[in-house]
Amino acid sequence: MNYADREKRRFAVTTPLYYVNDLPHIGSAYTTMAADVWARYQRLRGGEVLMITGTDEHGQKIQRTAQSKGPSPQEHCDQIVTGFEALWQLLNIQYDRFSRTTASRHEEIVKEFFNLVWSKGDIYLGRQQGWYCVSCEEFKEERDRTSDNRCLIHPNVKTEWRDEQNYFFRLTKYQQQLEALYKERPDFIQPESRRNEMRGFVKRGLQDFSISRVNLDWGIPVPVDSDHTIYVWFDALLGYVTALLEPEEPPTLANALAKWWPISLHLIGKDILRFHAIYWPAMLMSAGLPVPERVFGHGFLTKDGMKMGKSLGNTVDPSALVKAYGADAVRYYFMKEIEFGKDGDFKETRFVNILNAELANDLGNLLNRTLGMAKKYCGSTVPLAEIPEDNLLQQIGAGLGDRVCAAYEVLAFSKACAEIMALVQACNKYIDDRAPWQLYKEGKQSATEQVLYAVLESVRLAAYLLSPVIPRVSSAIYEQLGFSIDFDQQSSIDTGQFDSHASWGSLPANQKLGKAQPVFERLELVNAASMCDFSRSVG
Ligand code: MSP
């Protein structure tokens, strides 16, 4: 593998800015874990990364939630934000920026952007009539409602009829430019199925969309008309821009866009694709700014086939899951078991079974028993072994780094993990077939050492390549193999050594091995998913 001549690359990756109508649920955790895995992978390769997450705090949904609970909207937001921050800590998420749309710096950015689009003549006053879903914060066209005007995403919520004066954004003006964007940049919307969906939607014809609300104080005032507040989506998308400001920098668009723009990757769920793949690029085109490089719309986590969500009250509490099973377990399960881009159902029994089989048995026990043998047969040092060309593990391991990197690049997390685990599973079979205890008994020291080296090296490679997903387990494995690398501490990782660590065969001979200790304790089912307190949910 040769990355030596690659340019140093800069990546800004975002999660959605989550609504604060309630504490985070597993759906929000899912996107954030994926963003963190991708960010860690790019950092491991020496990329300069800015990972952005945050909260979307204005609008009717939040205002109503706060009203129903008692505190002022701002107090309510502040409370919920601490819940998000606590969960990201529990899940070991290494974000660089937390963008809150109620920050005063954000208001400055939104106003400047609004004025820019206004000066282009792309905003006008008109009359908005239609059915509004407060849970989506979106007007629902006929194709997105049931016959009795319920939202298709939130069938338990009735849409509300609105007839009011709003400011509109001239989306229609950008129809052709958007079509050209999708055509010229096939990677702009991923996966392919979502790209087709968006292209189809745009082809059927766009409508201008309203970007202000009347009779709603909880929002940023429209700079040209104080009777209106800016529509929550117009406001929230710009939260990505605000996040790019350095902490002490004056909040101007020029400052925000100087270093990290355009965003490399927006990670979102499929329900908010239109906003990111149609409205957002059109807004940026109007402002004369380059559009993001890539928007990836992942699938839904479902329960009984329905999207899990706060509005439907059928969610799983991610904090309870992490507290019961640990961050690496939760991260591994969602990245490995659900193909990113597709929907996936969550079942706790399956969760426990997969983790016990793959992390506790296949990976953990493998290391444990191999270190035990290395202690007995090689004095706990990495043996100096000549590995023949046709060694099975070497053959699987040889191109693994490239295959796994290719998978991480395109967010195929499940494929990346499956490729790595195939090596681990091959190790278990190899050890059983080669029976190093037997070889040792027969006095075949060099054959014994070959087997042990091949397995220890394969476990090392697996741990390295899995480190974006399960950094703690990987660090424990590295430590037991005699390295002093903590994958949670970027400063302890020599990214210049990426090529060597990501290739099979780099475990140094004579390295002193550490003490064998379980790297992943077996899990017992505790039904943590049902610990979720549904009474907090709002419609
Ligand atoms: N506030 C907007 C985003 C603004 S971004 C400028 C929003 N917030 S949200 O909290 O409702 O949803 C955030 C993300 O969570 C969306 O990407 C959504 O797809 C995702 N999920 C919500 N429920 C989900 C599942 N059940 N499964 C997977 N992801 C889901 O929309």
Side-chain angles (χ1 to χ4, degrees), residues 25 40 80 92 117 121-122 149 158 166 209 229 246 254 257 260 270 306 308 312 321 338 342 363 430 433 446 491 512:
H25 64 81
R40 282 174 184 261
I80 299 284
N92 199 8
V117 175
D122 284 345
N149 294 322
K158 276 211 155 189
N166 284 172
F209 71 98
T229 49
E246 292 300 324
L257 301 170
W260 294 98
K270 61 183 179 182
M306 290 293 285
M308 278 188 209
L312 288 180
L321 267 192
I338 297 165
K342 301 252 168 76
L363 184 62
Y430 175 82
D433 291 349
S446 89
S491 59
K512 194 76 195 134

Side-chain angles (χ1 to χ4, degrees), residues 228-246:
H228 290 245
T229 49
I230 291 181
Y231 172 45
V232 60
W233 268 101
F234 193 89
D235 159 354
L237 287 161
L238 286 160
Y240 296 137
V241 173
T242 309
L244 304 177
L245 286 165
E246 292 300 324

Side-chain angles (χ1 to χ4, degrees), residues 412-429:
F413 304 115
S414 164
K415 183 163 189 293
C417 294
E419 290 268 8
I420 301 166
M421 291 313 287
L423 174 65
V424 170
Q425 277 139 13
C427 284
N428 280 298
K429 181 161 183 324

Side-chain angles (χ1 to χ4, degrees), residues 17-59:
L17 304 186
Y18 301 107
Y19 286 129
V20 288
N21 56 321
D22 207 339
L23 288 169
H25 64 81
I26 197 71
S28 6
Y30 182 55
T31 329
T32 311
M33 285 188 272
D36 183 61
V37 169
W38 197 78
R40 282 174 184 261
Y41 157 72
Q42 295 296 358
R43 288 190 203 111
L44 191 65
R45 288 187 64 169
E48 198 186 347
V49 177
L50 191 78
M51 179 183 156
I52 297 164
T53 188
T55 40
D56 181 357
E57 306 184 11
H58 289 132

Side-chain angles (χ1 to χ4, degrees), residues 15-21 25-31 55-57 61 84 101 135-136 154 232-233 235-240 267-272 275-276 298-303 306-311 314-315 343-344:
T15 73
L17 304 186
Y18 301 107
Y19 286 129
V20 288
N21 56 321
H25 64 81
I26 197 71
S28 6
Y30 182 55
T31 329
T55 40
D56 181 357
E57 306 184 11
K61 169 153 143 163
F84 275 90
T101 58
S135 288
C136 292
H154 304 101
V232 60
W233 268 101
D235 159 354
L237 287 161
L238 286 160
Y240 296 137
L267 276 178
I268 53 166
K270 61 183 179 182
D271 52 335
I272 56 174
F275 293 101
H276 287 79
H298 65 68
F300 285 157
L301 303 178
T302 56
K303 195 137 184 263
M306 290 293 285
K307 176 191 173 204
M308 278 188 209
K310 292 175 271 200
S311 300
N314 62 347
T315 183
D343 291 354

Side-chain angles (χ1 to χ4, degrees), residues 112-164:
E112 190 183 339
F113 189 90
F114 184 99
N115 287 331
L116 194 55
V117 175
W118 175 264
S119 69
K120 296 282 166 69
D122 284 345
I123 297 174
Y124 64 92
L125 192 62
R127 183 174 177 194
Q128 171 76 61
Q129 287 181 307
W131 296 95
Y132 193 75
C133 171
V134 176
S135 288
C136 292
E137 292 280 16
E138 186 181 15
F139 279 100
K140 294 287 165 182
E141 294 178 21
E142 201 169 345
R143 58 186 157 183
D144 298 322
R145 316 189 294 261
T146 61
S147 53
D148 64 342
N149 294 322
R150 289 173 185 274
C151 164
L152 289 185
I153 299 176
H154 304 101
N156 63 336
V157 178
K158 276 211 155 189
T159 56
E160 299 170 18
W161 176 252
R162 298 282 160 83
D163 181 354
E164 56 190 41

